[in-house]
Amino acid sequence: MGFGSKWRTWVKTCISTTSFAVIVNGGPSEFFSASCGLRQGDPLSSLLFIIAMETLNGLLCKAKGLDLLKDVKVGKRLNVLDVTHLFFADDTLIFARIPKTSYICDAFSTVFKTFSELKINLLKSELARTGGEGDGSNYAKVLGCKLVMFPLKYLGVPLGAKFKDKCTWEPVIELFENRLARWKKNFLSKRGRLTLINSTLANLPIYYLSTLTIPKEIAKKLETIQRNFLWGDDEGHKKYHLVSWEEIKKPVLRGGLGIRSLVYLNMALQGKWLWKFLTEEDKIWRKIVFVRWGGPDSVGAGAGYRPHGHGL
């Protein structure tokens, strides 16, 4: 990548002089040296990782150029986009069209073995197949990774799941119920319960609300959990609610308690993606959405449907 010899010597010294100590029975053991690695919290870690990912990017692009990696075509007819891989932090997504022969898996294995200095953990790697014949178990065996089926979770969001299915939102409902546990009602004032409700609302469902359209029955279920927690309802013993929930959801300046509506929060978060779609024309996700579904004028009522999770 054009780095000078002195700089490479510095980096080699940093990753080859690391020593560690293990805490045993409450006390540190003697320090021992490692063959390679960085000290905990070393700011070089993220920078060197980016350089390593650039090398992996070059290997995958070269595999595509040698026709060893069949990219996935996104779009229709003249408006087609080639997608081979995506990087996000320490996650790598590789997209490929797998033919009946297994040479594509051999190409993957070659790339990974060439890059094995990073000790890629294939036990944490997964293969998901869509369409075609077979379940993909043979390809997973060649790659040495797990075989998973859609829908699956990636970065906390279910991929390939139907947003209207109750099972898709069950993890969020369970998190709400666990966080707003019944026993906490007896130890918190109403002000403390309100603070806990707002913090739970702000953190737990944010990924789901950013990408999926929340069904009305799910929003009603989550608001029921919050409402019962605020007023201290128990199973079989419902307390009298002094103020309607619609009044409570109003902003503080308008006489409410400032609990945000899940439906309106969902609309606001999805509106953010619409704004990004109109302003981030060079982003890969925007290009994929555009070639697949078109722009705001072609997606919506005129197209007859809307893609799940997009407010375009």
Side-chain angles (χ1 to χ4, degrees), residues 209 214 219 223 246 249 259-271:
L209 296 180
I214 185 171
E223 289 184 350
E246 294 300 323
K249 289 194 298 183
I259 297 179
R260 291 176 295 180
S261 169
L262 290 174
V263 175
Y264 289 151
L265 178 61
N266 186 213
M267 294 173 60
L269 291 173
Q270 290 192 348

Side-chain angles (χ1 to χ4, degrees), residues 96-126:
R97 290 181 288 123
I98 300 180
K100 293 184 179 180
T101 57
S102 62
Y103 79 91
I104 187 67
C105 289
D106 295 334
F108 276 135
S109 300
T110 302
V111 170
F112 287 145
K113 288 178 181 178
T114 304
F115 215 58
S116 61
E117 292 288 336
L118 281 182
K119 304 296 182 183
I120 295 176
N121 191 352
L122 292 177
L123 295 177
K124 294 183 178 180
S125 303
E126 297 176 342

Side-chain angles (χ1 to χ4, degrees), residues 173 177 216-226:
I173 297 175
E177 292 176 339
K216 292 183 179 180
E217 59 270 18
I218 298 298
K220 184 178 180 180
K221 172 67 175 178
L222 296 177
E223 289 184 350
T224 300
I225 297 174
Q226 297 176 77

Side-chain angles (χ1 to χ4, degrees), residues 7-27:
W7 188 88
R8 296 199 304 269
T9 303
W10 290 345
V11 173
K12 185 177 181 180
T13 303
C14 290
I15 66 175
S16 60
T17 59
T18 307
S19 58
F20 300 93
V22 180
I23 296 178
V24 180
N25 296 328

Side-chain angles (χ1 to χ4, degrees), residues 192-258:
R193 296 175 191 175
L194 176 63
T195 301
L196 184 57
I197 289 175
N198 284 331
S199 64
T200 301
L201 177 63
N203 297 323
L204 294 184
I206 203 71
Y207 286 128
Y208 278 70
L209 296 180
S210 297
T211 55
L212 303 176
T213 302
I214 185 171
K216 292 183 179 180
E217 59 270 18
I218 298 298
K220 184 178 180 180
K221 172 67 175 178
L222 296 177
E223 289 184 350
T224 300
I225 297 174
Q226 297 176 77
R227 183 172 63 250
N228 294 339
F229 181 83
L230 179 64
W231 295 110
D233 290 356
D234 293 323
E235 292 184 7
H237 184 264
K238 185 176 181 180
K239 294 187 177 181
Y240 185 74
H241 296 185
L242 302 177
V243 184
S244 69
W245 188 248
E246 294 300 323
E247 291 293 326
I248 289 177
K249 289 194 298 183
K250 290 183 179 180
V252 177
L253 297 178
R254 296 178 56 187
L257 296 181

